[in-house]
Amino acid sequence: MRRILFESLVARPLTEKAPAKDDAALAALAQRVDRAAWRRLGRSLSIREVDAGSCNGCELEIHALNNAFYDLERFGLRFVASPRHADILLVTGPVTKNMREALRRTYDATPDPKWVVAVGDCAVDGGIFTGSYAVIGAVENVVPVDLHIRGCPPRPTQLLAGLLALLESM
Ligand code: SF4
């Protein structure tokens, strides 16, 4: 016991190194998203995140957009608490049977024009949960989807690139 305690005190933590910080590329991408939003909507983009049954891996990446590292709000992009204030719904996870009605109501509560982005492999086609008795599967089985962003989970920069592609295709 004493040996294990000593080893755990001197052992280095088993963590991955933080990704290299590329401020310039990230800032350029986020600014392009914000400029595209102003061109299309006349204002900054408001995003509502909907967890329709994910394992929360995708949420960690989406939340990272707001952390001190990415800090998206400095570019005007913001997450809102109500679908009534949102332009875009970011939907994660395979849609579970329990979340089908909630997702449908959230979609109905979002004012037009609105866009839906399916985030992560599970949202695109059910991913590793395909065939489960508890899930319906892809988001597009419940609401219309405008953009799919693959990945398990997709990185924050992939999310930004997806949003940019969506805004530029509007
Ligand atoms: S795509 Fe991966 S990280 Fe996202 S909800 Fe599915 S299993 Fe989790």
Side-chain angles (χ1 to χ4, degrees):
M1 180 66 192
R2 216 179 284 168
R3 184 177 59 82
I4 294 173
L5 184 61
F6 178 74
E7 280 175 3
S8 61
L9 284 174
V10 296
R12 294 170 63 85
L14 291 173
T15 54
E16 289 179 18
K17 282 179 92 173
K21 195 169 181 180
D22 190 351
D23 261 346
L26 177 71
L29 192 54
Q31 275 166 350
R32 284 179 66 196
V33 174
D34 193 39
R35 272 202 297 273
W38 274 90
R39 260 200 322 276
R40 305 293 175 210
L41 305 167
R43 56 184 161 71
S44 291
L45 198 62
S46 297
I47 303 164
R48 167 76 176 145
E49 202 273 332
V50 183
D51 176 353
S54 105
C55 74
N56 282 155
C58 287
E59 273 66 36
L60 288 175
E61 298 301 313
I62 291 173
H63 292 169
L65 291 171
N66 267 342
N67 69 18
F69 188 87
Y70 291 100
D71 192 15
L72 265 208
E73 248 187 84
R74 69 192 146 135
F75 302 109
L77 310 176
R78 64 198 181 103
F79 284 85
V80 293
S82 166
R84 295 188 195 285
H85 305 151
D87 305 302
I88 287 183
L89 298 178
L90 283 189
V91 187
T92 61
V95 183
T96 62
K97 289 181 179 168
N98 285 344
M99 280 298 292
R100 172 174 37 192
E101 183 60 23
L103 176 59
R104 166 56 63 189
R105 286 190 195 185
T106 302
Y107 180 81
D108 290 343
T110 309
D112 289 322
K114 60 189 164 196
W115 296 272
V116 177
V117 181
V119 176
D121 289 348
C122 295
V124 173
D125 59 14
I128 59 171
F129 299 102
T130 302
S132 163
Y133 71 92
V135 305
I136 291 159
V139 172
E140 68 187 0
N141 292 341
V142 181
V143 294
V145 172
D146 300 284
L147 178 74
H148 297 96
I149 302 179
R150 278 207 171 270
C152 182
R155 290 165 175 264
T157 45
Q158 285 176 273
L159 297 171
L160 275 180
L163 289 177
L164 181 61
L166 179 67
L167 286 164
E168 290 186 338
S169 72
M170 281 174 193

